[in-house]
Amino acid sequence: AARGGAAPPAVPAGYIRFRDQLADNGGALTFRVPALTEDAPPIRLQIRSGCLGDAAMSGRHATGGVVASSNPQLCGNRSGWGGFAGVTNADGALRERAGSGLEAECEALPPAAASGEKLLPSTARATSAHALRTAWVLHALGPTSFHARESEAALRRTYAACFDLADSLGLGSLA
């Protein structure tokens, strides 16, 4: 619950337009998200241009989490979507570094819906980090198209789901 029964803070527009801000800034962007409860620390979000797998192995987020853009089956690059053929995306880079335990844990997760999906749009789920140098991996399913009418709203809900999950886990940082 939010402090004093108030609504949680809205996700600032800067989270949505981070690519332009990274280009203007030339380096990492850091945002602080206020704690949603009195006993939780604020969340620090750093947006960097680079390999998420490298960030997860750096140790900078040893007590935090790393957020992977995932697919509904949480199956990494084994997705049947042709765009992944011969490509390692951010989720795949994390899985390579985390070892087989992450793959096994994702496979063992129960479905989140009767249709069998393990991850629903604009939601996030957490798994152990295994060999990564973070406390948790947060798997998020954001919008699939920047051109869809509701993409920005769906992306905001996805960020909010990640922040809520990080808050519930007591994470002080996310990569």
Side-chain angles (χ1 to χ4, degrees):
R3 256 186 245 149
V11 177
Y15 293 123
I16 307 304
R17 308 258 187 267
F18 69 87
R19 288 182 183 92
D20 294 337
Q21 291 176 350
L22 275 173
D24 291 344
N25 189 40
L29 296 175
T30 301
F31 299 96
R32 284 213 175 270
V33 179
L36 299 180
T37 61
E38 290 184 22
D39 58 342
I43 298 169
R44 182 183 67 181
L45 175 67
Q46 290 185 330
I47 301 176
R48 297 177 179 270
S49 180
C51 178
L52 188 59
D54 291 346
M57 296 304 287
S58 71
R60 285 191 308 258
H61 303 281
T63 61
V66 59
V67 180
S69 176
S70 297
N71 57 50
Q73 295 78 29
L74 285 175
C75 64
N77 290 343
R78 292 184 297 111
S79 168
W81 184 63
F84 287 140
V87 175
T88 299
N89 61 7
D91 187 38
L94 288 175
R95 288 167 185 267
E96 287 174 2
R97 288 163 176 83
S100 61
L102 180 58
E103 184 77 24
E105 186 174 351
C106 287
E107 285 185 18
L109 285 173
S115 56
E117 287 95 356
K118 294 183 178 187
L119 194 58
L120 302 175
S122 300
T123 65
R125 291 183 86 170
T127 61
S128 301
H130 300 275
L132 299 173
R133 294 180 62 199
T134 66
W136 295 92
V137 176
L138 280 61
H139 306 268
L141 182 59
T144 58
S145 173
F146 283 82
H147 305 292
R149 184 175 184 173
E150 295 296 318
S151 289
E152 187 164 324
L155 187 57
R156 286 180 184 278
R157 289 190 302 272
T158 306
Y159 277 119
C162 290
F163 294 148
D164 289 345
L165 183 55
D167 186 56
S168 74
L169 295 170
L171 303 181
S173 68
L174 292 174

